[in-house]
């Protein structure tokens, strides 16, 4: 299997700036945020605030996705 880097597409300056800033955060920050949102959601559920619990609980997946993206940027770098 031969994997080649895509050199035909370059990222914009804004994307590079964002990636450079987010790469400074450790990946565990995103994991911590995801776990915290689940814990807060559980607390809200116990407090019978169901709508808020669902809202906050849905934050976990985006935080985990941002953590994966952050890890990829750190490993692969940006253009």
């Amino acid at each position: 299997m031969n994997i080649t880097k895509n050199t035909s597409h370059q990222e914009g300056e804004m994307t590079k700036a964002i990636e450079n800033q987010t790469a400074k955060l450790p990946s565990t920050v995103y994991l911590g945020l995801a776990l915290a949102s689940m814990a807060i959601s559980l607390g809200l559920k116990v407090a019978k605030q169901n709508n808020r619990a669902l809202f906050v609980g849905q934050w976990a997946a985006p935080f985990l996705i941002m953590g994966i993206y952050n890890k990829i940027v750190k490993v692969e770098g940006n253009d």
Side-chain angles (χ1 to χ4, degrees), residues 4-50:
T4 59
K5 190 169 184 170
N6 181 6
T7 57
S8 64
H9 176 73
Q10 299 293 320
E11 295 291 344
E13 292 302 315
M14 177 68 94
T15 303
K16 287 181 186 180
I18 291 169
E19 288 176 351
N20 286 333
Q21 292 303 312
T22 58
K24 294 177 183 176
L25 288 173
S27 298
T28 55
V29 168
Y30 296 104
L31 179 60
L33 289 171
L35 292 173
S37 72
M38 289 186 269
I40 292 168
S41 176
L42 177 63
L44 290 168
K45 188 75 171 168
V46 169
K48 305 275 192 240
Q49 296 183 13
N50 292 330

Side-chain angles (χ1 to χ4, degrees), residues 1 3-4 12 19 29 63-64 66 68 70 78:
M1 176 189 243
I3 299 175
T4 59
E19 288 176 351
V29 168
F63 284 139
L64 292 172
M66 287 188 289
I68 291 170
N70 183 40
N78 57 23

